Structures are given as C-alpha cells and as structure tokens.
Amino acid sequence: MNRELETFNYSISHDLRAPLRSMSGFAQALMDGQASKLGPQEADYVRRIANSARRMDTLLQDLLEYSRVARASMPPTSVNLDGVVTEIITLREREIEQTKAQIEVKSPLGAVTAHMPTVQQILANLIDNGLKFTAKEKTPHIRVWSEPVAAEGQGTVNGNSILRVWVEDNGIGIEKEFHEKIFGLFERLHPSHAFPGTGLGLAIVRKGVERMGGKVGLESRPNQGSRFWVDLPAATEQTK
Ligand code: ADP
C-alpha cells in the first residue's frame, strides 16, 4: 500500500503538476507579452486558463499533503503548543493586518506528545478556516485555548492525560447535520467563489489527529461561530 501511495505521489508531483506549470507559464507569457494585442475577450480567456491551472495546482498540493499525513511516519516528541501557535500567527501577519483579525491565545497552552509538523499543519488549518469562514461585514475573532480532559472511562491514555486544544471563531457557523460530513475528502458546504478552498483541509486534520492517537470534533451553529477541539496526549512533566 505504501509503495502504491509512493507511485501516486510521484505521479501527482511530476506527471500532473508539470503540464499545469506549463499551462500557467504560457498563459502568463501571453498576459505579459501580448497583453496589448489581445482583445478583452481573449485576455479574459487567458486569465481563466491561468486561474484554473492555479486552482488545480492547489488541489494537487493538498492531495500530496493528505497523502503525506496518511502514510508518513510520525515520531512523537514533546510539542510546545505556544511555540507552534505563535509561529502560525507570525506567518499570517500580513493577512491579519489587512483583515484586522484578532487572534487571542490563552497562554500557556501546554505541551502534547505528538508529531510536531503534523500538529503545526492541523492548527494552521483550523486557524485558517476560522479566518476564512467569516461573513464579509464581520472582523474575524479567533480564540485559542487548552484544557486537560478526562479520556473515556479512565482519564488517561497509556498513562498520559489528554490535552484538549480549542480553536474558536466568530464566523458563519455550521449546521449540526454537516458536523461529521465536513471532515470527508473534498466535502465543502460553499462554492469556491464564496470561499476559496479544496475541501481537503479538515480531512488532513482528521487523518493527522487520528494517526497521532487523538480525536477531533466541533461545536457550532449557523451564524454563531464554530469551536473545533483537538484531543492529543499531554506531554508528561519529564518531556515538557
Ligand atoms: P476548505 O477550507 O478547503 O473548503 P475544509 O476541509 O477545511 O475545506 O473544510 C470543509 C468545509 O467545512 C468548508 O468548505 C466549510 O464549508 C466548512 N468549514 C470548515 N471550517 C469552518 C469554519 N471554521 N466555519 C464555518 N465553516 C467551516
């Protein structure tokens, strides 16, 4: 199965992305060099070709990411969540400034025993969704905090307690009947002209969380915002 996935990844990276790059490149060349010679309709067609190629490339990159999370080995270490969240916010500084979004982090978030790049990917996807799925007239307000939770029955997983990380937004919210469906591959509740995306972000989140022995879920109602939670084994004192 791993070999098959490797072939799949290789094919996506080379056989599928290469022709797309050439489509984008030639469309760009037409827009740059020939702009004055193209009529408005031709220019519009070329722009659409370039946009479609870009969209498909984003889709392929997300598929590669899903495939990586599905098969990569995930050696666990002690992951300091404050560091991870600070880095995510720093990388989005420009967008946060432009949208005037507020991100409130209730430090200290604590530490989990998990695979660092996957935790980063998961929290980035949840924060990005919080920033994205906001009504046009609203300023995004995200809150991140954590709390210890008791696991079913005994309060511990393999002797470790569990840390629940919350990412809450004041966005458009999600109808209860879709709370499970949105974690599926390519599942989207909105057309891409309303909110861009591939429908793979939450599938990557779920796969990553489950591969690290955790769980993910949400509480949300339409127009009332959403809060996603991620449960992961808390880092023990010695590994913090
Ligand atoms: P994408 O963001 O690429 O559309 P996701 O897999 O991240 O894909 O999310 C799937 C769908 O779930 C989204 O298209 C959206 O309809 C819904 N969704 C995800 N996060 C939120 C959120 N924070 N608020 C409202 N809707 C959300």
Side-chain angles (χ1 to χ4, degrees):
M1 183 155 179
N2 264 354
R3 230 186 345 257
E4 263 177 26
L5 275 167
E6 249 164 57
T7 314
F8 172 78
N9 272 9
Y10 187 87
S11 175
I12 285 191
S13 307
H14 296 83
D15 305 339
L16 293 176
R17 290 190 73 199
L20 271 182
R21 263 195 297 275
S22 116
M23 273 170 69
S24 302
F26 284 120
Q28 196 61 49
L30 271 178
M31 287 193 282
D32 292 345
Q34 306 281 319
S36 53
K37 295 183 204 151
L38 296 177
Q41 193 167 43
E42 286 97 343
D44 181 49
Y45 288 165
V46 174
R47 218 174 358 250
R48 286 182 197 213
I49 292 171
N51 283 345
S52 297
R54 204 170 309 121
R55 194 172 143 61
M56 190 155 169
D57 197 49
T58 310
L59 192 73
L60 294 177
Q61 280 179 47
D62 279 4
L63 266 177
L64 277 177
E65 189 52 34
Y66 179 81
S67 160
R68 187 193 68 76
V69 168
R71 80 197 175 104
S73 77
M74 294 190 179
T77 58
S78 176
V79 180
N80 176 337
L81 293 173
D82 295 279
V84 169
V85 171
T86 305
E87 193 180 326
I88 293 171
I89 296 172
T90 309
L91 288 171
R92 284 148 186 79
E93 236 160 34
R94 232 183 62 188
E95 187 195 342
I96 292 170
E97 212 178 278
Q98 279 167 357
T99 56
K100 300 196 167 52
Q102 276 185 319
I103 305 191
E104 208 182 305
V105 182
K106 201 157 172 249
S107 291
L109 294 172
V112 289
T113 303
H115 181 241
M116 165 82 136
T118 308
V119 173
Q120 228 160 7
Q121 174 88 51
I122 286 166
L123 293 178
N125 284 5
L126 293 180
I127 291 173
D128 283 340
N129 278 351
L131 290 170
K132 179 165 69 171
F133 293 105
T134 321
K136 291 277 170 294
E137 67 282 1
K138 261 196 184 167
T139 309
H141 189 158
I142 315 265
R143 286 178 64 225
V144 184
W145 74 99
S146 70
E147 63 187 6
V149 292
E152 279 148 29
Q154 73 277 40
T156 58
V157 171
N158 302 331
N160 289 327
S161 59
I162 291 172
L163 198 63
R164 174 166 289 187
V165 190
W166 289 91
V167 178
E168 180 188 76
D169 65 57
N170 61 338
I172 56 174
I174 304 161
E175 204 93 57
K176 178 109 178 117
E177 60 172 303
F178 300 122
H179 285 192
E180 194 43 45
K181 190 180 158 119
I182 52 172
F183 289 98
L185 282 169
F186 303 114
E187 294 290 356
R188 311 199 66 228
L189 306 178
H190 308 92
S192 57
H193 59 81
F195 297 101
T198 59
L200 285 168
L202 288 180
I204 292 171
V205 167
R206 172 154 284 175
K207 180 60 86 185
V209 171
E210 287 181 354
R211 287 220 48 220
M212 295 188 296
K215 282 185 186 164
V216 56
L218 72 144
E219 294 171 1
S220 178
R221 278 195 288 162
N223 307 317
Q224 312 262 314
S226 310
R227 333 162 132 178
F228 285 78
W229 54 264
V230 173
D231 282 357
L232 288 169
T236 51
E237 280 307 318
Q238 299 92 299
T239 58
K240 263 189 203 178

